[in-house]
Amino acid sequence: MDPFARLGRTMFRYRWAVLAGWLVVLAAAGVFLAPKAPAVVKSGGFRVPGSESIKAAQALERDFHGSSYSTSVVVYQSSSLTVTDADFQTAVSEASARMRTVRHVRAVLDFTNTANPALVSQDGHSTFAIVDLDGSESEDQEAVGELRSQLRGTRLDHYITGAPAVNYDIQIASEDDLHRAELVTIPLVLVLLLLVFRTVVAAVVPLLLGASAVVLSNAGLYLIASRTDVSVFSLNVASMIGLGLGIDFSLIVLTRFREELPNAPSVEEAVARTMQTAGRSITYSGITVVLGMLLLTLLIGLTVPASISMGVMLVAVAAVLVGLTVLPALMSVVGKRIEWLRVIPRRAPRADPRTVIWYRLSRLIMHRPWPWLLGAIALLAVIAFPLHSLATTGADPRLLPSNMQSVVGVKKLNATFGANRLTPIQVVVKTKPDGVWTPEFLDAIGRLSQTAAAESGVDSVQSLYTVAVAQGLTPDQYRQLKPSQFPAGPQRNALTLLVDIDGRNDSVVVNVFSPYDQFDSRHQDTIYRLRGTTVPEALKGTGYTAYVGGSGAAFLDFRDTEFARFPAVVGGVLLMTFVILMMFFQSLFLPLKAILMNVASIVASYGALVAIFVYGWGGRVLGFEPSGHLSVITPPILFAVLFGLSADYEVFMLSRVKEIYDETHDNMEAVAGGLARTAGVITAAALLLLGVFGSFSVAGVQTVKEVGVGLAIGVVLDTTVVRIIMVPATMRLLGDANWWMPNWLKRFVPKLTEGPAPAPAPAPSPVAAVASTPLARLRGMAGAAPEAPVELAGGRSLRIGRDAANDIQLLAPQVSRFHARIDVTPSGHALIDLNSRNGVFVNRTRIPAVPGSRQLDHGDRIQLGLGGPELVYEQAAVSAPPPAS
């Protein structure tokens, strides 16, 4: 017995135990594990181990007690007071004292303890304090909440920003997005499910399955995130995709179950047949998604994309497990009650499937394939055109809702102190212990400061050299600087930001300020020049070590590493998909065609995202201010998920096409018939996924919004332009070559099928045996054609169906074009179902489809489709028919 059919029968037999067991598991996961996941996932994760920016950050944290990763900034403002007023200074000093009591706060530097004029705005009404944190990335993020608590009651307007604060606000906004999406998604999807399934019972089941997959995946994320760092984005994306996959898989399975239920002799048989076909399909689809995400995790290997891909893997596994166990158990319990509580009247069956709109549309497309194909390609090219303007960003405050404190703080800081004061390019120069105060090293810092200031993308430079020049020191005085010239006090405190004067005296920081945003290409070009020419030339021959870091450099290292590894992910996913589709279809051209079309639709999806989020088209409708960038993690996540969904639709659609082709060997009829059978389900799935993914467009965090909108666009393009237009057009142009594969290759490629495992074909009968075959005939029942009995003689097969080319033509709506065949065997005749749409029944029991067969006995009643015409098989040598089985 087919393993999936056996699984279906097992789920039917133990349905109550299965549901009870899962109820316990889901209750435990939903109460004790999943709700805790938001508290343990983390923001951040954009570091690249071993990169130059990481080496700079490590030196800054070790020698200067702070880097762009671990420094928070508190902006203070007053409309009535200035920093020279005692009340202003007292408020800042008291706030700094309270913040020093917070765990992981190493130092708080403000204008009251440093006398640093750079910390005061020109109008004197604003200042900022630097808070150095010494915890891990997640610990620094957690400290922000306590810092904000300590600042409550401060008489000045104040805002905490900086990288830890941005990460803290991302986590808060992500949790809000999750709750907001749930409020939008569940009602919207329920309405769509009612439209698709037309009954309340059938509509509720997919929602339960999707929610179960999300609960299980969130529980798994909690267990993993409790032991290692997991990005907060994994929770949102996994919830989105988990609900989508759960509903998508349920749609495929329940649609098949509702088709099988009227034809099957029992609910158990209907469940078994459903799992034999649709159960196998969702399993292969889930495996495809999991493998794609596994490649993304292994080949890119960075925290944020790895966390998201891990979340998607968990939810895909959960969706398959639930779909193979809970869903058949529910179907076994519900049975025919799946049609209860109908809210939309049942559609009347069409007398002729060729009148279905999808059949007629595919015929229209295949009549003139070139114009349709070229038109579809042109449409995708137009949508993809904005991709040339793709620009990416990392943990950008602009990706957050504009009312978040870290975002407001950045805006206030930029408005009063000039742009990008929080994001300088930081060049860390290392020498031997106490080597900072040698004339040679001071000369090198002078050269570096001067050449960096001369760069076209540099606004100003802050270093030990520029401080000396500002204080009016001559070059000789500067070369003779000693740490003893800076006694304890504000000046020394200010100098600790530039020289490790209280440490080994072997490190100096040169802060390079660019007028351009850290994610602007001009800022990034400045980093490349500093790394490539400016710093090496200024330090040439000195033996000093230098690292160019800062938040802009950290983003560059992350982006360049991700994009350098992304082609390997693309190649791996393409190869994996090609192999899987080749095993399904036993063809070389179909997998290649599918991959090319899927790539085209995904590239078009990227172009649409650039138009929306970079150009800002529709920004007012979607509720965001365009930042001119896409999140750097969006492209690889979209690619892997969309490819998995596309492969699922490809298998679902072309499996039906192949069934009809094997029956008719008519390529055009196979494509039209396959599209007529599957396009409705695919369109319904697209509508539901559009609702699920589109509901995340209300997210406040732009990264989540991008993924939701991108998936929605990708699904729409794939299920319309690709499936409805490009598939029939290309398959018409390729003709029978669609199904070609060299015989030598077939011997090595295992065969996968969406339907039941093939039964052993009946052994061919020798010609000599025909003479001994008993005479037999077919006669119609209840006036059905054929009006006169048809004799079965001459040793040849006889074909039955709606088409005029059959030996027996039956025009009933239940009959397929080529429905069944009767072959001669040594012992009589065998009946074969030619993969008909509605099945073949002998004595009310459905027989297996080709290559299976059923040996006929005298008096057997043959029914073509449930409720279709009946024929009686009679052997002339037998006088009395035996009782029907």
Side-chain angles (χ1 to χ4, degrees):
M1 181 186 295
D2 179 86
F4 286 90
R6 186 184 303 113
L7 175 64
R9 295 186 190 279
T10 302
M11 293 300 106
F12 179 87
R13 189 172 302 115
Y14 299 105
R15 55 192 179 276
W16 291 112
V18 170
L19 291 177
W22 270 110
L23 185 61
V24 172
V25 171
L26 289 171
V31 173
F32 299 108
L33 300 177
K36 299 178 182 178
V40 294
V41 293
K42 302 294 187 297
S43 299
F46 288 90
R47 302 185 182 189
V48 180
S51 63
E52 185 170 346
S53 60
I54 282 291
K55 293 176 181 177
Q58 290 170 343
L60 287 166
E61 290 171 358
R62 181 180 61 249
D63 300 332
F64 299 92
H65 310 304
S67 70
S68 57
Y69 292 121
S70 60
T71 299
S72 284
V73 173
V74 185
V75 183
Y76 298 99
Q77 286 188 332
S78 174
S79 58
S80 58
L81 300 175
T82 66
V83 295
T84 59
D85 293 327
D87 288 346
F88 196 118
Q89 295 183 11
T90 300
V92 171
S93 298
E94 291 176 351
S96 295
R98 291 196 300 271
M99 287 192 291
R100 290 189 186 97
T101 66
V102 175
R103 188 174 177 227
H104 296 302
V105 171
R106 181 163 39 195
V108 180
L109 300 177
D110 57 51
F111 79 99
T112 66
N113 60 23
T114 65
N116 188 349
L119 301 180
V120 179
S121 64
Q122 288 186 352
D123 64 5
H125 288 279
S126 301
T127 185
F128 67 90
I130 299 171
V131 183
D132 289 334
L133 302 167
D134 62 3
S136 64
E137 188 173 21
S138 59
E139 289 170 339
D140 291 347
Q141 172 185 322
E142 293 169 0
V144 171
E146 182 61 25
L147 288 172
R148 287 179 176 170
S149 297
Q150 292 294 336
L151 289 179
R152 289 195 188 111
T154 301
R155 296 187 298 276
L156 304 173
D157 295 334
H158 57 276
Y159 314 91
I160 297 185
T161 187
V166 170
N167 290 338
Y168 180 83
D169 286 343
I170 286 175
Q171 184 155 0
I172 293 176
S174 297
E175 292 182 33
D176 291 342
D177 287 344
L178 212 52
H179 299 312
R180 188 186 302 112
E182 289 170 356
L183 293 175
V184 174
T185 304
I186 293 175
L188 175 62
V189 171
L190 183 57
V191 171
L192 294 176
L193 286 168
L194 287 171
L195 292 174
V196 170
F197 285 109
R198 297 170 175 250
T199 72
V200 173
V201 176
V204 169
V205 171
L207 208 53
L208 292 176
L209 270 291
S212 299
V214 172
V215 168
L216 289 174
S217 64
N218 286 356
L221 282 173
Y222 166 73
L223 294 175
I224 296 172
S226 300
R227 292 160 177 79
T228 186
D229 286 343
V230 174
S231 171
V232 67
F233 294 121
S234 64
L235 200 61
N236 298 73
V237 176
S239 297
M240 179 198 316
I241 294 173
L243 194 58
L245 283 181
I247 292 174
D248 195 34
F249 290 173
S250 298
L251 174 66
I252 293 173
V253 173
L254 285 179
T255 300
R256 188 70 183 224
F257 178 65
R258 296 173 86 189
E259 289 177 3
E260 295 289 350
L261 201 54
N263 303 328
S266 65
V267 174
E268 180 180 359
E269 182 64 24
V271 172
R273 294 175 184 175
T274 299
M275 301 311 294
Q276 206 172 27
T277 52
R280 177 181 274 105
S281 179
I282 67 170
T283 302
Y284 292 148
S285 174
I287 291 173
T288 303
V289 173
V290 168
L291 291 177
M293 290 297 144
L294 184 61
L295 287 173
L296 189 63
T297 302
L298 296 178
L299 296 180
I300 289 187
L302 301 173
T303 299
V304 175
S307 296
I308 295 175
S309 57
M310 179 179 61
V312 176
M313 277 192 287
L314 284 175
V315 85
V317 171
V320 172
L321 284 176
V322 171
L324 294 181
T325 55
V326 178
L327 189 52
L330 279 175
M331 293 189 303
S332 300
V333 170
V334 174
K336 295 183 179 180
R337 292 185 290 273
I338 195 81
E339 304 297 338
W340 280 13
L341 301 177
R342 182 168 291 279
V343 293
I344 300 177
R346 189 192 301 270
R347 286 175 293 193
R350 293 178 180 268
D352 187 350
R354 288 175 293 184
T355 63
V356 175
I357 187 173
W358 305 115
Y359 184 97
R360 290 185 282 121
L361 178 60
S362 61
R363 280 283 185 178
L364 176 66
I365 292 170
M366 288 187 288
H367 182 65
R368 301 187 66 188
W370 276 117
W372 283 94
L373 179 60
L374 294 177
I377 293 173
L379 175 62
L380 293 180
V382 170
I383 298 174
F385 180 75
L387 186 58
H388 75 279
S389 301
L390 174 66
T392 56
T393 182
D396 189 347
R398 291 172 299 182
L399 301 184
L400 286 167
S402 58
N403 62 342
M404 301 299 287
Q405 189 176 147
S406 60
V407 180
V408 176
V410 169
K411 291 179 178 179
K412 297 287 186 181
L413 197 66
N414 289 342
T416 54
F417 289 88
N420 311 313
R421 298 302 298 178
L422 286 181
T423 56
I425 304 168
Q426 295 179 292
V427 184
V428 182
V429 185
K430 299 281 293 179
T431 182
K432 63 185 179 180
D434 296 318
V436 166
W437 308 104
T438 63
E440 294 79 13
F441 186 83
L442 293 171
D443 283 342
I445 297 303
R447 287 195 304 273
L448 176 58
S449 300
Q450 290 173 314
T451 54
E455 288 284 349
S456 58
V458 173
D459 187 38
S460 63
V461 171
Q462 184 185 57
S463 68
L464 180 60
Y465 172 78
T466 62
V467 169
V469 171
Q471 292 180 351
L473 272 65
T474 65
D476 286 339
Q477 290 173 325
Y478 164 69
R479 297 181 78 246
Q480 301 301 320
L481 279 176
K482 298 297 178 185
S484 57
Q485 297 176 238
F486 305 97
Q491 190 177 20
R492 190 180 183 95
N493 291 340
L495 203 61
T496 58
L497 298 173
L498 301 174
V499 184
D500 65 334
I501 193 170
D502 293 327
R504 291 158 50 95
N505 287 271
D506 64 350
S507 296
V508 164
V509 178
V510 177
N511 291 320
V512 180
F513 294 93
S514 172
Y516 309 114
D517 181 77
Q518 61 175 321
F519 302 111
D520 189 295
S521 61
R522 291 166 293 187
H523 182 110
Q524 295 165 2
D525 289 341
T526 301
I527 295 173
Y528 285 134
R529 288 196 301 272
L530 286 171
R531 285 179 170 179
T533 57
T534 305
V535 174
E537 288 179 2
L539 303 181
K540 186 177 182 181
T542 63
Y544 306 137
T545 303
Y547 305 112
V548 178
S551 54
F555 167 73
L556 270 189
D557 289 336
F558 184 92
R559 186 197 67 183
D560 293 350
T561 301
E562 181 184 80
F563 285 4
R565 298 173 183 176
F566 188 40
V569 175
V570 173
V573 171
L574 296 186
L575 179 61
M576 175 197 69
T577 305
F578 181 86
V579 172
I580 290 176
L581 294 181
M582 183 172 62
M583 290 190 291
F584 258 108
F585 303 127
Q586 297 291 292
S587 163
L588 288 182
F589 289 113
L590 284 181
L592 182 60
K593 171 190 68 66
I595 285 173
L596 292 176
M597 290 191 298
N598 291 348
V599 169
S601 68
I602 292 172
V603 170
S605 301
Y606 288 165
L609 277 183
V610 171
I612 294 171
F613 291 99
V614 177
Y615 295 171
W617 297 356
R620 183 173 300 175
V621 175
L622 293 175
F624 72 94
E625 296 179 8
S627 65
H629 300 82
L630 283 181
S631 173
V632 71
I633 62 177
T634 298
I637 297 300
L638 280 183
F639 180 84
V641 175
L642 285 177
F643 232 93
L645 292 174
S646 298
D648 181 27
Y649 294 142
E650 190 80 11
V651 168
F652 181 68
M653 179 179 179
L654 292 189
S655 293
R656 297 298 181 92
V657 173
K658 192 173 190 302
E659 287 177 12
I660 301 173
Y661 182 80
D662 290 339
E663 174 188 333
T664 64
H665 294 285
D666 183 332
N667 185 64
M668 287 186 65
E669 178 64 23
V671 174
L675 197 63
R677 293 186 188 186
T678 60
V681 178
I682 291 176
T683 302
L687 181 65
L688 291 168
L689 290 180
L690 180 62
V692 174
F693 298 151
S695 66
F696 279 79
S697 65
V698 301
V701 179
Q702 186 175 307
T703 302
V704 178
K705 191 189 295 281
E706 288 173 8
V707 174
V709 172
L711 288 174
I713 293 171
V715 167
V716 169
L717 291 177
D718 184 77
T719 54
T720 54
V721 178
V722 172
R723 301 287 151 234
I724 307 303
I725 298 176
M726 299 181 74
V727 166
T730 54
M731 293 191 74
R732 172 67 178 89
L733 292 171
L734 287 171
D736 291 338
N738 284 306
W739 315 102
W740 178 79
M741 177 186 279
N743 289 329
W744 65 266
L745 187 57
K746 287 185 178 181
R747 291 195 295 268
F748 298 100
V749 177
K751 185 174 183 179
L752 299 178
T753 60
E754 189 208 15
S765 56
V767 177
V770 174
S772 63
T773 300
L775 296 177
R777 66 181 182 178
L778 290 176
R779 63 179 176 85
M781 291 286 291
E787 297 177 358
V790 176
E791 300 294 330
L792 300 173
R796 72 178 185 86
S797 299
L798 179 146
R799 195 164 58 183
I800 308 167
R802 195 178 62 249
D803 196 275
N806 293 286
D807 300 284
I808 299 178
Q809 183 183 21
L810 300 176
L811 297 178
Q814 296 90 341
V815 179
S816 299
R817 187 178 179 193
F818 298 97
H819 200 109
R821 190 177 74 236
I822 297 179
D823 287 347
V824 179
T825 69
S827 56
H829 295 89
L831 177 65
I832 299 174
D833 179 359
L834 297 176
N835 280 312
S836 63
R837 183 179 66 256
N838 297 315
V840 178
F841 299 81
V842 175
N843 302 325
R844 305 298 179 186
T845 301
R846 188 170 183 171
I847 68 172
V850 65
S853 65
R854 165 67 153 77
Q855 192 70 31
L856 293 172
D857 295 321
H858 180 74
D860 280 345
R861 292 190 175 189
I862 303 169
Q863 186 177 36
L864 304 175
L866 195 66
E870 291 189 18
L871 304 171
V872 178
Y873 173 81
E874 297 176 338
Q875 291 182 355
V878 180
S879 57
S885 57

